[in-house]
Amino acid sequence: MNINEYIELINKKLDEYMPEDKFPQDIFKAMKYTVTLPGKRIRPIMCMESCRIFGGNIEDAIPTACAIEMLHAQTLIHDDLPCMDNDDYRRGKPTNHKVFGEANAVLAGDALISFAPQIILKYSKHIGAEKLVKIMEEYFEYAGAYGVIAGQVADIEAEKNWKNNIFGLKPEELLDFIHTHKTADLFRLPLRCGAIIAGASDEDLEKISELAQILGVAFQISDDILDVTSTFEEMGKTIGKDENADKLTYVALYGLEESKCKLTCLLDKSCDMINGFKVQSEPLLEIISGIKKRVCIK
Amino acid sequence: MNINEYIELINKKLDEYMPEDKFPQDIFKAMKYTVTLPGKRIRPIMCMESCRIFGGNIEDAIPTACAIEMLHAQTLIHDDLPCMDNDDYRRGKPTNHKVFGEANAVLAGDALISFAPQIILKYSKHIGAEKLVKIMEEYFEYAGAYGVIAGQVADIEAEKNWKNNIFGLKPEELLDFIHTHKTADLFRLPLRCGAIIAGASDEDLEKISELAQILGVAFQISDDILDVTSTFEEMGKTIGKDENADKLTYVALYGLEESKCKLTCLLDKSCDMINGFKVQSEPLLEIISGIKKRVCIK
């Protein structure tokens, strides 16, 4: 399957999994609104491709892939709240709380954290209880306080006073912590879950985790670069916010040129890793060339 | 074990399960703050007693019991937020966002939704993957958009314009929906999970669900009565808020006398049900007499 076929499949399944006529409709509509905003669907593609790379059937990974996209949407909804990043636009559309109000946006996010694993449990019964338990463990590890939320908390703190070594970390270490948890953990989750569904070995899980880390950092650096060089139309959200807020970013710390250089290096490394798998993955390579294209790297 | 022994055990375990030295500390401290506020621990006691009633070992139910108390704390943290009920006090202490700020309170709540099932998975391995999957299913069903969140959304809507048949429901039906999901579902969850851990039959699960419904409605009516008749010192939170907000409550709909009458009837019925189980449960009966005492029913 190529990227476009994947996106079509994922969008169809997301639409299918998310009811909107259930009572009380407000909450289901708010949940579905952000989940079904057009997106690159990078994480669910990673999940299905990882499953295929390690010899699994991609059909088996669809519910988990979509659940992780729901979790991703949840982080966006809460990240955009007035008490957090206070963003009015996301993917070119008004943010969830702008449409449904703050209370519903908080609750829609809460509901998605529970709804996503419910989808996995409901539609993946045939992979067996043992694998389901493993996937649940991964889900909570990377979705929770040890994973993406740790990254968000550190990110919020870093906005305030990162020059003063908060948490006892140097700015470079703090930035690394944020990238590892805020971004890489949401890549680790789909890549590892896909591999688990395929029955991959612990060694393979290690390898795919390492790829997630490299891709996560690369993705975050590209985002930091785009925040400086891009426009609202290209990004679908308010840009230049990082600089305005004097935020801790890769560009703020190392400058634009070194950031581009580091990004190129990480993307090349991830291509090598992907090419090293027994099964070739055109879609994962396409995701990487997509990042290159966005930040104008050849 | 009597109620006080249970509370002591649960508090000890909650303290043990909730780290506070993990990085970034802000979030773990915020999570632990609300979870470990002194409380009646009704839900975890229900879970362990239900396990015992159906022939299980209460030790096996401890992680699940504590996880459900964490979930309960999560609902309190988000319920108290300025965009929701905007409460400054909870259990006699400043609410989570008053101590840790709004952003951390949102994230601490999010983290608890994931942290709670993680505790179940981590400390209940010996009950086996099949039962773990069942418990996860129950957890997400009652914690999510079909459960307690449905109740919260309906409750928020009901504050605005319940006299106008919102959601196409009459006020009585809407109130019933709120009680069923906002309160009874968080009793159904521990009672059912305890029974599942004990290996109870589907028929027994039905019975215990019915008890949860009766107790949930009774509990909510008692809360509505106390909001009219109690003081801040007795409740540990701002009272009289319902009346000020012209909120849909049992008392607003049926008056104080009929509410007390209905409550007595429900509590008597629940005592009969509890006495009908093969194993006697003094702690569940004590919980009921506790409610009676609070609202001065003999």
Side-chain angles (χ1 to χ4, degrees):
Chain A
M1 237 187 282
N2 65 33
I3 289 262
N4 289 333
E5 287 165 336
Y6 262 126
I7 292 175
E8 202 178 316
L9 170 68
I10 292 158
N11 287 344
K12 190 178 141 264
K13 282 289 172 179
L14 285 174
D15 183 63
E16 208 178 292
Y17 290 147
M18 308 284 309
E20 53 188 338
D21 54 346
K22 291 272 177 191
F23 184 85
Q25 291 174 359
D26 301 42
I27 197 73
F28 286 100
K29 276 192 184 145
M31 289 159 71
K32 188 161 190 165
Y33 174 78
T34 300
V35 170
T36 57
L37 283 182
K40 297 185 291 295
R41 311 299 183 215
I42 291 178
R43 293 160 194 83
I45 293 172
M46 283 179 173
C47 184
M48 290 194 265
E49 275 299 285
S50 175
C51 182
R52 197 177 63 79
I53 286 171
F54 295 109
N57 182 348
I58 61 163
E59 292 282 321
D60 291 344
I62 293 174
T64 303
C66 289
I68 293 167
E69 186 69 8
M70 293 173 198
L71 172 67
H72 172 55
Q74 181 275 322
T75 66
L76 302 182
I77 295 172
H78 283 188
D79 250 9
D80 290 336
L81 285 170
C83 68
M84 311 274 266
D85 284 354
N86 195 19
D87 273 313
D88 293 348
Y89 293 94
R90 171 68 71 177
R91 296 177 175 172
K93 300 266 183 179
T95 44
N96 201 287
H97 63 273
K98 283 279 159 188
V99 181
F100 299 96
E102 259 186 87
N104 277 330
V106 170
L107 290 172
D110 292 354
L112 280 171
I113 306 177
S114 291
F115 189 79
Q118 213 175 1
I119 289 295
I120 300 174
L121 294 170
K122 192 170 172 188
Y123 295 101
S124 310
K125 282 201 191 304
H126 60 289
I127 68 171
E130 298 285 345
K131 278 186 185 171
L132 280 176
V133 166
K134 266 193 193 165
I135 287 172
M136 290 294 114
E137 284 170 347
E138 297 281 327
Y139 180 88
F140 300 122
E141 181 68 20
Y142 296 116
Y146 299 109
V148 72
I149 293 174
Q152 283 171 308
V153 174
D155 198 30
I156 290 169
E157 280 302 312
E159 264 184 57
K160 293 182 209 155
N161 55 355
W162 60 269
K163 283 162 188 163
N164 297 325
N165 288 8
I166 50 162
F167 297 139
L169 294 182
K170 290 180 201 148
E172 306 88 281
E173 294 169 328
L174 181 61
L175 189 65
D176 186 55
F177 182 87
I178 295 170
H179 287 181
T180 296
H181 294 292
K182 195 171 174 177
T183 314
D185 277 355
L186 266 187
F187 289 168
R188 230 181 302 274
L189 178 60
L191 286 170
R192 286 177 64 91
C193 284
I196 288 167
I197 293 167
S201 66
D202 285 351
E203 198 191 324
D204 285 336
L205 282 176
E206 279 297 307
K207 237 186 271 174
I208 206 83
S209 288
E210 202 191 319
L211 175 63
Q213 181 67 21
I214 294 170
L215 281 175
V217 175
F219 199 79
Q220 197 55 54
I221 294 176
S222 78
D223 236 32
D224 290 352
I225 293 173
L226 285 169
D227 192 77
V228 179
T229 63
S230 179
T231 64
F232 178 89
E233 285 68 28
E234 286 164 346
M235 292 288 277
K237 62 180 181 181
T238 312
I239 53 111
K241 280 195 69 168
D242 296 351
E243 213 177 352
N244 295 339
D246 194 20
K247 207 178 158 177
L248 172 61
T249 69
Y250 212 87
V251 177
L253 215 52
Y254 299 100
L256 192 57
E257 278 322 299
E258 195 178 326
S259 298
K260 279 191 180 177
C261 187
K262 175 79 176 173
L263 175 59
T264 310
C265 167
L266 289 172
L267 292 176
D268 287 347
K269 198 169 167 191
S270 57
C271 282
D272 290 346
M273 285 191 75
I274 292 164
N275 286 323
F277 290 124
K278 275 182 212 154
V279 174
Q280 289 306 293
S281 172
E282 208 47 58
L284 290 186
L285 292 175
E286 266 187 70
I287 287 173
I288 291 168
S289 56
I291 299 176
K292 283 188 177 172
K293 225 177 272 168
R294 278 170 85 211
V295 292
C296 305
I297 293 173
K298 272 167 209 161
Chain B
M1 239 187 284
N2 67 32
I3 290 261
N4 288 332
E5 288 164 337
Y6 262 125
I7 292 175
E8 203 178 316
L9 170 68
I10 293 158
N11 288 345
K12 189 177 141 267
K13 284 288 172 181
L14 285 174
D15 183 63
E16 208 179 293
Y17 290 147
M18 306 285 308
E20 53 186 340
D21 54 348
K22 290 273 178 193
F23 184 85
Q25 292 174 358
D26 301 44
I27 198 72
F28 286 100
K29 276 192 186 148
M31 289 159 71
K32 189 161 188 165
Y33 174 78
T34 301
V35 170
T36 57
L37 282 182
K40 298 184 290 295
R41 311 299 183 214
I42 291 178
R43 294 160 194 83
I45 293 172
M46 283 179 172
C47 184
M48 290 194 265
E49 275 298 286
S50 175
C51 182
R52 197 177 63 79
I53 286 171
F54 295 110
N57 181 347
I58 61 162
E59 292 282 321
D60 292 343
I62 294 174
T64 303
C66 288
I68 293 167
E69 186 69 7
M70 292 173 198
L71 172 68
H72 172 55
Q74 180 276 323
T75 65
L76 302 182
I77 295 172
H78 283 188
D79 249 10
D80 289 338
L81 285 170
C83 67
M84 311 273 268
D85 283 355
N86 195 19
D87 272 313
D88 293 346
Y89 292 94
R90 170 69 71 178
R91 295 177 176 172
K93 299 268 182 178
T95 44
N96 201 287
H97 63 273
K98 282 280 160 190
V99 180
F100 299 97
E102 257 185 90
N104 278 330
V106 169
L107 289 171
D110 292 354
L112 281 171
I113 306 177
S114 290
F115 188 79
Q118 213 174 0
I119 290 295
I120 299 174
L121 293 170
K122 193 169 171 187
Y123 296 101
S124 310
K125 283 202 189 303
H126 60 287
I127 68 171
E130 298 284 346
K131 275 186 187 171
L132 280 175
V133 166
K134 264 193 195 166
I135 287 171
M136 290 294 114
E137 285 171 348
E138 298 280 327
Y139 181 88
F140 301 122
E141 180 68 20
Y142 296 117
Y146 299 109
V148 71
I149 293 174
Q152 283 172 307
V153 174
D155 198 29
I156 290 168
E157 280 302 312
E159 264 184 55
K160 293 181 207 154
N161 55 356
W162 60 268
K163 282 162 188 162
N164 297 325
N165 288 9
I166 49 164
F167 299 136
L169 295 182
K170 290 181 200 147
E172 306 88 279
E173 294 168 328
L174 182 61
L175 189 66
D176 186 54
F177 182 88
I178 295 169
H179 287 180
T180 296
H181 294 291
K182 196 171 174 176
T183 314
D185 276 354
L186 266 187
F187 289 168
R188 227 181 304 273
L189 178 60
L191 287 170
R192 286 178 63 91
C193 284
I196 288 168
I197 292 166
S201 67
D202 286 351
E203 198 190 325
D204 285 336
L205 283 176
E206 278 297 306
K207 236 186 271 176
I208 206 84
S209 289
E210 202 190 321
L211 175 62
Q213 181 66 22
I214 294 169
L215 280 175
V217 175
F219 199 79
Q220 197 55 55
I221 295 175
S222 78
D223 237 31
D224 290 352
I225 293 173
L226 285 170
D227 192 79
V228 179
T229 61
S230 179
T231 64
F232 177 88
E233 285 69 31
E234 285 164 345
M235 292 288 277
K237 61 180 183 182
T238 312
I239 55 109
K241 279 194 70 166
D242 297 350
E243 212 177 352
N244 295 339
D246 196 19
K247 208 177 158 176
L248 172 61
T249 68
Y250 212 88
V251 176
L253 215 54
Y254 300 101
L256 192 57
E257 277 321 299
E258 196 176 326
S259 298
K260 282 191 179 177
C261 187
K262 174 78 176 176
L263 175 59
T264 311
C265 167
L266 288 171
L267 292 176
D268 288 346
K269 197 169 168 191
S270 56
C271 283
D272 289 347
M273 284 189 76
I274 293 164
N275 285 324
F277 291 123
K278 274 181 211 154
V279 175
Q280 287 307 292
S281 172
E282 207 48 57
L284 290 185
L285 292 174
E286 265 187 70
I287 288 172
I288 292 168
S289 55
I291 299 175
K292 282 187 178 172
K293 227 178 270 169
R294 277 170 85 213
V295 294
C296 305
I297 293 173
K298 274 169 207 161

